[in-house]
């Protein structure tokens, strides 16, 4: 220890100026990150308010602010629309977007693969299987939980089933990933597992009655509208729990950027980290799938947008950015889905694919050094 | 001085298979630079991985600063041993500074926040590898040599007692290779860290290492200063093959002469040396005595003149000498 100290002091005397130069340059990149995150946050707030104003009927801003700041309802029917429908829907969109963005970021870092996300790796399919099994086993109509028919207990069962379903699909893929270094092999294995599980779900659901089948298909379109304040009591805390796991493992996620061998050499228990991250990503994606349907592309696109806007792979900025940009993207998708106005809504999944696919394609085409540079 | 790294009757290998290397007893002092040499597949990487506890020892023990590494937790080990691996580091966007700062991982709290002292150590590590000008560059924009410097700085920022490097010069061009090895030697001394690296670059290792760990083709470990292992013939024994011979005197490989034609060279020193290397490359046996030589070459500053069993010749360039020597060797084969 003493020898390190002496060496350090020596070097400090000789090399004071470069440290100052380095420190000031680091501070400037920190300021850039703060500005970008600040703008994203402001956009999020504006979009949140827009999501409450806009819908089948437009509500004036004044009324929205009134309702949000807790003014007495005073018989205004718009207040009911806001509190019963639009506010929970907007909050659900924010939570789901943040959850998928962070789950995608966790998967991309854990697998060191920029194309990894909960959907590609089959977490979403596994979660669908969990949902299908619980719904079928409980004897209730498929999709009845969407209308709150199962109550809080049923809601928990669905979240647990979808999380476990996601984990069951993710675990073999990650086990293979730890043995095979080839990222494309792992991705294709994940995709195939997801397809197989989806096929199994289709078989399960195929025997259902036509009206149940239709509701299952509607659930498959994806929607933020089915979550009421009741469901938010489960959905909210579950998503926050998953996000907290991501937030407290930022240091570990950064170590994983160097690969598992380097991470272990710096003192990270990679096995525990792998399991914890898998569980958190499955919980996040599982909860979203249970309540909003299998939503694609947010998980893969949001981390890429975050990385390219912030020009950084540092999770200290990427985790907050994935939360804010995920919520923002989900709200925007929700707004786009409402575009037909009185003529109904667009399937959310179609909207996220239309937003996400070009982003992913752009990111892949733009990266000069190939897509497998996380 | 207590050794920074010490092994007791260490055996390394995989699972139930027989040990790749066994009965290894080694010690490295702080500030010492060790090169691990041996032919491919003999177990160099296995030994390096075992020293870093990236795989368990099959027998015996590894001690760092007097403590058995198998009894350390992951964090303690990370504060004693840092590694530079051959695997590619692929990160989307990160300044070199950020990568070096990751080296503070085992010393920071749960949030990974750098203190002023941590920042000083990071800056010092960057300065120690002479990479101040690279600190803000994205690691994807760096050359292989520059990236290797940054990875070494990351390992230094970990403030280890032992620095283990697996073939640190493998992907580098010649000048970067020499630079990195010279730098590692200086760092070992300056930071009083024990540096152990595996290498394929025999000639460079012989010139830079304090100590060689030389694994021979039978899996036995020879330990000593490069000159000791040169003197006792271990180096030549390990690295000479059917096509090349390792010359102890010149510390370099030579194409093995088949000795069909003995050649004798006279002339001014440097010119004669160059002529000898031409003849050796052509597979002739250069002898020190004129007696018994089939080929006699006289070199002067203006050119050379040769006479042999298959006729004589003269020329002004070494290329012509090579052609002449080839004809002489060829002729002796035809007979």
């Amino acid at each position: 220890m003493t020898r390190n100290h002496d060496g350090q002091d020596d070097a400090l005397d000789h090399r004071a100026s470069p440290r100052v130069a380095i420190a000031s340059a680091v501070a400037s990149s920190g300021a850039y990150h703060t500005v970008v995150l600040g703008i994203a946050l402001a956009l999020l707030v504006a979009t949140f308010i827009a999501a409450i104003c806009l819908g089948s009927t437009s509500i004036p801003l004044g009324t929205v602010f009134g309702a949000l700041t807790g003014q007495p309802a005073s018989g205004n029917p718009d207040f009911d629309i806001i509190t019963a429908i639009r506010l929970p829907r907007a909050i659900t969109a924010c939570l789901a977007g943040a959850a998928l963005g962070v789950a995608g970021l966790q998967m991309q870092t854990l697998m060191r693969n920029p194309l990894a996300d909960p959907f590609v790796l089959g977490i979403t399919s596994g979660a669908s299987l969990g949902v299908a099994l619980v719904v079928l086993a409980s004897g209730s109509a498929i999709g009845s939980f969407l209308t709150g028919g199962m109550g809080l207990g049923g809601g928990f069962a669905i979240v647990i089933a979808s999380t476990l379903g996601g984990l069951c699909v993710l675990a073999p893929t990650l086990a293979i990933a730890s043995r095979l270094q080839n990222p494309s092999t792992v991705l294709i294995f994940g995709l195939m597992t997801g397809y197989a599980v989806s096929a199994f779900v289709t078989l399960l659901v195929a025997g259902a009655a036509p009206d149940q089948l239709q509701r299952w298909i509607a659930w498959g379109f994806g929607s933020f509208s089915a979550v009421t304040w009741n469901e938010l009591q489960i959905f909210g805390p579950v998503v926050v729990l998953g996000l907290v796991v991501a937030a407290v493992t930022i240091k570990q996620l950064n170590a994983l950027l160097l690969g598992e061998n380097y991470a272990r050499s710096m003192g990270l228990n990679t096995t525990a980290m792998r399991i914890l991250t898998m569980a958190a990503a499955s919980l996040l994606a599982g909860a979203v799938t249970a309540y909003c349907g299998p939503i694609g592309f947010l998980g893969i696109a949001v981390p890429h947008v975050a990385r390219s806007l912030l020009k950084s792979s540092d999770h200290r900025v990427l985790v907050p950015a994935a939360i804010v940009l995920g919520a923002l993207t989900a709200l925007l998708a929700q707004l786009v889905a409402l575009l037909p106005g009185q003529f109904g809504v667009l399937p959310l999944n179609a909207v996220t694919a239309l937003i996400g696919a070009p982003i992913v394609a752009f990111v892949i085409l733009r990266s000069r050094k190939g897509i497998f540079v996380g | 001085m207590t050794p920074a790294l010490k092994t007791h009757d260490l055996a390394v290998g995989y699972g139930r298979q027989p040990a790749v290397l066994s009965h290894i007893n080694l010690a490295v002092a702080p500030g010492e630079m060790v090169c691990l040499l041996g032919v491919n597949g003999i177990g160099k990487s296995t030994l390096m991985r075992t020293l870093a506890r990236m795989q368990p020892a099959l027998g015996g023990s590894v001690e760092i600063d007097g403590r058995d590494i198998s009894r350390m937790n992951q964090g303690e080990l990370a504060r004693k041993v840092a590694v530079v691996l051959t695997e590619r580091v692929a990160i989307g966007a990160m300044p070199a500074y950020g990568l070096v700062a990751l080296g503070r991982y085992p010393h920071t709290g749960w949030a990974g926040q750098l203190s002023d002292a941590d920042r000083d150590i990071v800056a010092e590590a960057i300065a120690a590898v002479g990479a101040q000008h690279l600190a803000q560059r994205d690691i994807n924009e760096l050359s292989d040599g520059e990236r290797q410097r940054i990875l070494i700085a990351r390992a230094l920022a970990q403030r280890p007692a032992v620095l283990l490097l697996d073939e640190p010069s493998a992907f580098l061009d010649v000048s970067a290779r020499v630079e990195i090895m010279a730098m590692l030697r200086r760092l070992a001394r300056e930071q009083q860290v024990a540096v152990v690296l595996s290498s394929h670059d025999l000639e460079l290792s012989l010139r830079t290492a304090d100590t060689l760990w030389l694994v021979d083709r039978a899996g036995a470990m020879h330990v000593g200063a490069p000159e000791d292992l040169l003197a006792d013939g271990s180096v030549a024994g390990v690295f000479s093959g059917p096509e090349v011979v390792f010359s102890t005197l010149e510390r370099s490989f030579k194409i093995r002469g088949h000795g069909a034609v003995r050649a004798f060279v006279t002339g001014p020193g440097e010119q004669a040396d160059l002529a000898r290397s031409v003849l050796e490359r052509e597979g002739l046996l250069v002898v020190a005595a004129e007696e018994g030589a089939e080929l006699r070459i006289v070199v002067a500053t203006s050119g050379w003149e040769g006479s042999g069993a298959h006729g004589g010749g003269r020329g002004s360039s070494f290329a012509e000498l090579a052609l002449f020597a080839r004809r002489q060797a060829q002729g002796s084969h035809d007979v």
Side-chain angles (χ1 to χ4, degrees), chain A residues 3-4 8 11 15 18-19 22 25-26 112 251-252 254-255 257-258 261-262 264-268 312-313 369 374, chain B residues 74 78 83 85 87 90-93 97 102 105-106 108-109 120 123-124 127 132 136 140 154 158-159 161 192:
Chain A
R3 61 167 189 262
N4 281 348
Q8 177 191 339
R15 295 161 178 148
R19 187 172 62 254
I22 287 168
V26 169
R112 301 182 75 201
K251 175 180 170 177
Q252 286 79 357
N254 275 342
L257 286 173
L258 287 169
N261 283 328
Y262 271 116
R264 211 175 295 123
S265 83
M266 295 192 294
L268 174 65
S312 173
S313 294
K369 296 185 176 73
Chain B
Q74 204 105 28
V83 297
L85 306 170
E87 63 189 57
I91 302 177
Y97 180 90
L102 283 180
Y105 184 97
T108 54
D120 285 346
E124 194 221 322
Q132 295 94 325
Q136 293 314 311
N140 295 302
R154 185 211 63 81
Q158 221 170 312
R159 275 302 160 99
Q192 281 299 298

Side-chain angles (χ1 to χ4, degrees), chain A residues 80-105:
Chain A
D80 290 337
I81 296 180
I82 290 172
T83 50
I85 299 171
R86 299 220 177 146
L87 197 52
R89 186 173 68 192
I91 292 173
T92 303
C94 287
L95 288 171
L100 291 175
V102 167
L105 178 64

Side-chain angles (χ1 to χ4, degrees), chain A residues 133-147:
Chain A
L133 284 176
V134 168
V135 170
L136 289 178
S138 68
S140 58
I142 290 169
S144 70
F145 61 92
L146 290 178
T147 54

Side-chain angles (χ1 to χ4, degrees), chain A residues 219-253:
Chain A
W219 174 78
F221 281 165
S223 167
F224 297 134
S225 310
V227 181
T228 65
W229 290 112
N230 264 341
E231 278 92 24
L232 267 178
Q233 287 173 29
I234 301 170
F235 184 57
V238 166
V239 168
V240 169
L241 177 66
L243 297 181
V244 165
V245 170
V248 300
T249 53
I250 282 173
K251 175 180 170 177
Q252 286 79 357
L253 288 170

Side-chain angles (χ1 to χ4, degrees), chain A residues 9 43 108 178 182 200 202 216 233 246 275 284 300 314 343:
Chain A
D9 292 343
L43 278 176
Q108 288 175 11
S178 65
N182 186 340
F200 190 62
T202 307
W216 178 262
Q233 287 173 29
I275 291 169
L284 288 169
I300 190 167
D314 187 341
F343 305 105

Side-chain angles (χ1 to χ4, degrees), chain A residues 1 3-12 15-16 18-29 112 181 247-270 273 307 310-316 368-369 372-374, chain B residues 4 30 49 54 65 74-75 77-78 80-94 97 99 102-114 117 119-121 123-124 126-128 132 135-136 138 140-141 151 154 158-161 186 190-193:
Chain A
M1 269 346 262
R3 61 167 189 262
N4 281 348
H5 236 276
D6 294 342
Q8 177 191 339
D9 292 343
D10 265 7
L12 289 187
R15 295 161 178 148
R19 187 172 62 254
V20 174
I22 287 168
S24 71
V26 169
S28 80
S29 86
R112 301 182 75 201
Q181 290 302 312
V248 300
T249 53
I250 282 173
K251 175 180 170 177
Q252 286 79 357
L253 288 170
N254 275 342
L256 280 175
L257 286 173
L258 287 169
E260 291 217 352
N261 283 328
Y262 271 116
R264 211 175 295 123
S265 83
M266 295 192 294
L268 174 65
N269 182 341
T270 48
M273 179 60 189
R307 266 190 289 263
L310 292 158
K311 299 181 178 67
S312 173
S313 294
D314 187 341
H315 290 82
R316 276 173 297 182
R368 290 159 292 147
K369 296 185 176 73
F372 289 113
V373 177
Chain B
R49 290 175 55 84
M54 290 166 73
D65 279 351
Q74 204 105 28
L77 184 68
K80 295 279 186 198
V81 180
V83 297
V84 175
L85 306 170
T86 46
E87 63 189 57
R88 204 166 81 97
V89 168
I91 302 177
M94 177 169 278
Y97 180 90
L99 191 118
L102 283 180
R104 295 308 293 162
Y105 184 97
H107 301 273
T108 54
W110 69 271
Q113 204 61 44
L114 296 181
R119 271 188 272 272
D120 285 346
I121 290 169
E124 194 221 322
I126 292 172
Q132 295 94 325
Q136 293 314 311
D138 191 282
N140 295 302
E141 295 166 4
L151 283 170
R154 185 211 63 81
Q158 221 170 312
R159 275 302 160 99
R186 173 176 57 79
E190 277 181 9
Q191 317 248 331
Q192 281 299 298
V193 60

